[in-house]
Amino acid sequence: MEIRGRDPETECYRVELQVDGRTVKALVPERLAADTRLIGSRPSHQDAYVWMAEHKAKIEAAITLLARGSKRPKAPYDQIILIEER
């Protein structure tokens, strides 16, 4: 999984992952990395990158499920969405 930066419009991080020989792009909401004790908080870039590194396997599994269309990931990873190039 490669992180391609933050999309300010969606408040998500763009990530790419190889699934079944193709590149899949997804948006991972930054709110998943926010400190849940601080309502309305937004994680720093550092915190978001650390959180994604710690949860890499679950993020990759969720993106793989979405890319294959087999089933929906479990919460909170069900908030991840796939994107296509325009």
Side-chain angles (χ1 to χ4, degrees):
M1 178 177 82
E2 292 186 45
I3 302 169
R4 298 295 186 189
R6 183 179 179 273
D7 179 13
E9 187 175 311
T10 62
E11 296 183 345
C12 294
Y13 282 85
R14 294 181 303 273
V15 299
E16 290 183 4
L17 178 67
Q18 292 294 314
V19 178
D20 300 330
R22 65 184 174 110
T23 301
V24 176
K25 297 179 182 187
L27 293 174
V28 177
E30 69 179 8
R31 67 183 167 271
L32 297 180
D35 185 342
T36 57
R37 296 169 293 171
L38 303 173
I39 296 174
S41 70
R42 197 176 140 226
S44 68
H45 285 296
Q46 176 71 25
D47 290 341
Y49 277 79
V50 167
W51 182 88
M52 286 188 280
E54 291 172 350
H55 295 85
K56 180 181 177 186
K58 290 182 179 183
I59 293 169
E60 288 178 345
I63 293 170
T64 300
L65 283 175
L66 291 169
R68 291 180 178 161
S70 53
K71 59 182 181 178
R72 295 285 306 158
K74 293 184 180 184
Y77 302 99
D78 59 340
Q79 298 176 53
I80 296 171
I81 59 171
L82 300 184
I83 56 174
E84 294 184 17
E85 295 260 352
R86 296 179 196 186

